[in-house]
Amino acid sequence: MGLVRSPFFIGLILIMLLGMAIYLRLWAIDSTFSKEDNEMIRQFDLANREAMEEAADWRLKYDEEVERGAYRLKELMEVKEALEQKTEEAASISGRLAMLEKENLILLERVESMTKELENEKLNCSTRETQIRQFSADMYFWMRNADLRVFSFQIRIIE
């Protein structure tokens, strides 16, 4: 029992009681702040949740726009490729057209020269035909005369 009344032991008990009183007072103050903090934390959580939902909506819109942009870019590239291909085809067709036009001009010139040659040949043929007719007429006349001469020669011989 001597230990119970010692000043050290009494001081220790007093300090423990004082510490418990301070602890309870702090706990009471903390519970008051905790109630207010709980309300603030609940409002913060609510605002945070709304912000997260809005951010998710904006992210979804962004992803949709990126997807649409990529699709449009792909379409644009396809159209550009098709345009380049058509331009190359048009250039090759233009070159072929120019070549065909040159060939057409050459062929037209040849047709004209052949037409002139044909006309000349027709003229020559008609001239030759005339000459042949004249020659035939001359031959006929000569043969007729020759027949008459032979006939008259034969008559002379017979006589």
Side-chain angles (χ1 to χ4, degrees):
M1 272 224 143
L3 274 175
V4 174
R5 291 190 180 185
S6 79
F8 177 73
F9 189 66
I10 292 178
L12 186 62
I13 291 178
L14 280 176
I15 289 177
M16 284 178 65
L17 287 174
L18 185 61
M20 282 185 13
I22 292 173
Y23 177 75
L24 289 175
R25 180 68 183 153
L26 287 174
W27 182 72
I29 291 171
D30 185 46
S31 68
T32 307
F33 284 131
S34 294
K35 288 180 185 176
E36 292 173 5
D37 287 346
N38 283 342
E39 180 65 26
M40 289 174 64
I41 289 172
R42 190 183 66 76
Q43 288 177 357
F44 177 76
D45 284 343
L46 182 64
N48 189 29
R49 197 173 318 125
E50 288 176 1
M52 293 294 272
E53 288 175 2
E54 187 174 347
D57 288 342
W58 281 108
R59 180 63 189 194
L60 181 65
K61 288 178 184 178
Y62 173 79
D63 289 342
E64 289 173 354
E65 287 297 320
V66 166
E67 186 177 320
R68 192 176 334 155
Y71 178 73
R72 296 294 185 236
L73 184 62
K74 180 183 171 188
E75 281 183 342
L76 180 63
M77 293 303 228
E78 289 174 358
V79 168
K80 279 185 177 181
E81 288 176 10
L83 178 63
E84 288 175 2
Q85 186 179 19
K86 295 296 180 183
T87 304
E88 290 172 2
E89 287 177 10
S92 67
I93 289 173
S94 294
R96 286 179 50 204
L97 179 63
M99 185 178 67
L100 289 173
E101 285 176 347
K102 288 178 184 177
E103 286 181 19
N104 190 24
L105 288 174
I106 292 169
L107 290 174
L108 285 174
E109 290 173 2
R110 285 183 64 195
V111 166
E112 285 180 25
S113 66
M114 288 182 159
T115 305
K116 288 178 183 176
E117 285 180 33
L118 180 64
E119 288 174 5
N120 287 339
E121 289 298 322
K122 281 183 183 179
L123 211 82
N124 287 341
C125 284
S126 64
T127 306
R128 285 184 188 158
E129 210 174 275
T130 307
Q131 289 173 350
I132 290 172
R133 283 187 192 144
Q134 183 65 38
F135 180 73
S136 294
D138 290 343
M139 285 300 282
Y140 177 74
F141 179 74
W142 182 79
M143 288 182 76
R144 193 166 172 225
N145 286 339
D147 282 341
L148 289 176
R149 284 186 202 146
V150 170
F151 182 67
S152 67
F153 180 72
Q154 286 174 354
I155 294 178
R156 284 188 202 153
I157 292 178
I158 295 178
E159 296 176 352

